């Protein structure tokens, strides 16, 4: 018998934006309807045996469906949220991973707790903020860290531009790791600017357990970036998952 492949096996082609229509705009965000080309639905008849192909093509129903599916590059709309503040920056903002280092202490990760109206609850997050005009991601990270926590630090590394929630928004950020010398006088009792945030430092080597305890005690919502970081630390320091034996 000749090998046969499914008639409606899709062939992927590049998708692209056709148009963006502004629906509403506020001070900080705007809501748009994005129209883009969706290339799915193409049909291929390659791989059919000659007899199967002949019978298929002699069917008017098959020919009609084939034409429809081959033209199925659909214009699809998507509801999109964008920041109204984006200008010429490399990304919308920065997310800071502050590592507090002190003599005779475990390394700690500095987090901020603040009320988030969209969530209707207090959230535990990395310090973060928008990048100002003509400001580098590194400079923005140091500025935001000092404003939100009072700490002054040094840049360890800065990520490339990464997306935040690509199914909803085009918001982007740099993740900037900052080391803080907790023995320096300016970092012994740091004074943050009044931003209605509470600074919480948790030991890096027990971050997941401490996060879970805070969630249970205070009913906080943990930011996905913080939880992912804690989960990565946990996986990096625990026994690898066992691979199940294959049954033959």
């Amino acid at each position: 018998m000749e090998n046969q492949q499914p008639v409606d096996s899709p062939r992927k082609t590049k998708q692209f934006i056709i148009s963006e229509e502004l629906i509403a705009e506020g001070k900080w965000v705007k809501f748009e309807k994005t129209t883009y080309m969706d290339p799915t639905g193409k049909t291929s008849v390659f791989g059919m045996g000659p007899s199967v192909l002949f019978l298929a093509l002699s069917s008017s129903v098959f020919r009609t469906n084939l034409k429809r599916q081959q033209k199925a590059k659909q214009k699809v709309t998507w509801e999109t949220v964008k920041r109204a503040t984006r200008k010429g920056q490399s990304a919308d903002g920065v997310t800071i991973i502050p590592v507090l280092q002190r003599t005779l202490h475990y390394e700690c990760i500095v987090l901020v707790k603040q009320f988030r109206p969209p969530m209707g609850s207090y959230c535990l997050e990395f310090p973060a903020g928008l990048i100002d005009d003509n400001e580098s991601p590194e400079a923005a990270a140091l500025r935001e860290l000092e404003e939100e926590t009072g700490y002054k630090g040094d840049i360890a590394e800065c990520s490339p531009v990464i997306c935040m929630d690509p199914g909803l928004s085009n918001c982007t950020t740099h993740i900037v790791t900052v080391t803080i010398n907790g023995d320096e006088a300016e970092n012994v009792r740091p004074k943050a600017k009044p931003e209605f945030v509470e600074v919480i430092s948790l030991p890096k080597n027990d971050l997941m357990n401490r996060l879970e305890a805070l969630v249970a005690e205070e009913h906080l919502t943990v930011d996905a970036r913080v939880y992912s970081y804690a989960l990565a630390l946990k996986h990096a320091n625990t026994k690898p998952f066992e691979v199940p034996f294959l049954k033959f």
Side-chain angles (χ1 to χ4, degrees), residues 17 34 36 78-82 86 162-173:
I17 300 297
T34 304
Y36 69 100
W78 196 274
E79 294 176 349
T80 307
V81 177
K82 295 183 178 181
R86 179 181 291 186
I162 58 174
C163 56
M164 305 272 286
D165 190 355
L168 173 68
S169 170
N170 72 338
C171 290
T172 54
T173 189

Coordinates of all heavy atoms in Angstrom, one line a residue, residues 17 34 36 78-82 86 162-173:
I17 N 1.3 41.6 10.8 CA 0.2 42.6 11.1 C -0.2 43.4 9.9 O 0.6 43.8 9.1 CB 0.8 43.6 12.2 CG1 1.3 42.9 13.4 CG2 -0.3 44.7 12.5 CD1 0.2 42.2 14.2
T34 N -6.1 44.8 16.7 CA -5.1 44.5 15.8 C -5.6 43.4 14.8 O -6.1 42.4 15.2 CB -3.9 43.9 16.6 OG1 -3.4 44.8 17.6 CG2 -2.7 43.6 15.6
Y36 N -4.4 40.9 11.8 CA -3.2 40.2 11.3 C -3.6 39.1 10.4 O -4.7 38.6 10.4 CB -2.4 39.7 12.5 CG -2.9 38.6 13.3 CD1 -2.5 37.3 13.0 CD2 -3.9 38.8 14.2 CE1 -3.0 36.2 13.8 CE2 -4.4 37.8 15.0 CZ -4.0 36.5 14.7 OH -4.5 35.4 15.5
W78 N -7.5 40.9 16.9 CA -7.0 40.6 18.2 C -7.1 41.8 19.1 O -6.7 42.9 18.6 CB -5.5 40.1 18.2 CG -5.1 39.4 19.4 CD1 -4.6 39.9 20.6 CD2 -5.0 38.0 19.7 NE1 -4.2 39.0 21.5 CE2 -4.5 37.8 20.9 CE3 -5.4 36.9 18.9 CZ2 -4.3 36.5 21.5 CZ3 -5.2 35.6 19.4 CH2 -4.7 35.4 20.7
E79 N -7.6 41.7 20.3 CA -7.7 42.8 21.2 C -6.3 43.0 21.9 O -5.9 42.1 22.6 CB -8.8 42.7 22.2 CG -10.2 42.7 21.5 CD -11.4 42.4 22.4 OE1 -11.1 42.0 23.6 OE2 -12.5 42.6 22.0
T80 N -5.7 44.2 21.8 CA -4.4 44.4 22.3 C -4.3 45.6 23.2 O -4.9 46.6 23.0 CB -3.4 44.6 21.1 OG1 -3.5 43.5 20.2 CG2 -2.0 44.7 21.6
V81 N -3.6 45.4 24.3 CA -3.3 46.5 25.2 C -1.8 46.9 25.1 O -0.9 46.1 25.0 CB -3.5 46.1 26.7 CG1 -3.2 47.2 27.7 CG2 -5.0 45.6 26.9
K82 N -1.6 48.2 24.9 CA -0.3 48.8 24.8 C -0.1 49.9 25.8 O -1.0 50.6 26.2 CB -0.1 49.3 23.4 CG -0.1 48.2 22.3 CD 0.2 48.7 20.9 CE 0.2 47.6 19.9 NZ 0.5 48.2 18.5
R86 N 5.3 54.6 25.6 CA 6.5 54.1 24.9 C 6.9 55.2 23.9 O 6.1 55.6 23.1 CB 6.2 52.8 24.2 CG 7.4 52.3 23.4 CD 7.1 51.0 22.7 NE 7.0 49.9 23.6 CZ 6.9 48.6 23.2 NH1 6.9 48.3 21.9 NH2 6.8 47.6 24.1
I162 N 12.7 41.5 26.7 CA 11.9 40.3 26.7 C 10.4 40.8 26.9 O 10.1 41.9 27.4 CB 12.2 39.4 27.9 CG1 12.2 40.1 29.2 CG2 13.6 38.8 27.7 CD1 12.4 39.2 30.4
C163 N 9.5 39.9 26.4 CA 8.1 40.3 26.5 C 7.5 39.9 27.9 O 8.0 39.0 28.6 CB 7.3 39.6 25.4 SG 7.4 37.9 25.3
M164 N 6.4 40.5 28.2 CA 5.8 40.3 29.5 C 4.5 39.4 29.5 O 4.5 38.4 30.2 CB 5.4 41.7 30.1 CG 6.5 42.7 30.2 SD 7.4 42.6 31.7 CE 6.3 43.3 32.8
D165 N 3.6 39.8 28.6 CA 2.3 39.0 28.5 C 1.9 39.1 27.1 O 1.0 39.8 26.7 CB 1.3 39.6 29.4 CG 0.0 38.7 29.6 OD1 0.0 37.7 28.9 OD2 -0.9 39.1 30.4
P166 N 2.6 38.3 26.2 CA 2.4 38.6 24.7 C 1.0 38.2 24.2 O 0.7 38.6 23.1 CB 3.5 37.6 24.1 CG 3.7 36.6 25.1 CD 3.6 37.3 26.4
G167 N 0.2 37.5 24.9 CA -1.1 37.2 24.5 C -2.1 38.4 24.7 O -3.2 38.4 24.2
L168 N -1.7 39.3 25.5 CA -2.5 40.5 25.9 C -1.9 41.8 25.4 O -2.6 42.7 25.0 CB -2.7 40.5 27.4 CG -3.5 41.7 27.9 CD1 -4.9 41.7 27.4 CD2 -3.4 41.7 29.5
S169 N -0.6 41.9 25.6 CA 0.1 43.2 25.5 C 1.4 43.1 24.7 O 2.0 42.0 24.7 CB 0.2 43.8 26.9 OG 1.0 45.0 26.8
N170 N 1.9 44.3 24.3 CA 3.2 44.3 23.7 C 4.2 44.9 24.7 O 5.4 45.2 24.3 CB 3.2 45.2 22.4 CG 3.1 46.7 22.7 OD1 2.6 47.1 23.8 ND2 3.5 47.5 21.8
C171 N 3.9 44.9 25.9 CA 4.8 45.4 27.0 C 6.1 44.6 27.1 O 6.1 43.4 27.0 CB 4.1 45.4 28.3 SG 2.8 46.6 28.5
T172 N 7.2 45.3 27.2 CA 8.5 44.6 27.2 C 9.3 45.2 28.4 O 9.0 46.2 28.9 CB 9.3 44.9 25.9 OG1 9.4 46.3 25.7 CG2 8.6 44.2 24.7
T173 N 10.3 44.4 28.8 CA 11.2 44.8 29.9 C 12.6 44.3 29.7 O 12.8 43.4 28.9 CB 10.6 44.3 31.2 OG1 11.3 44.9 32.3 CG2 10.7 42.8 31.3

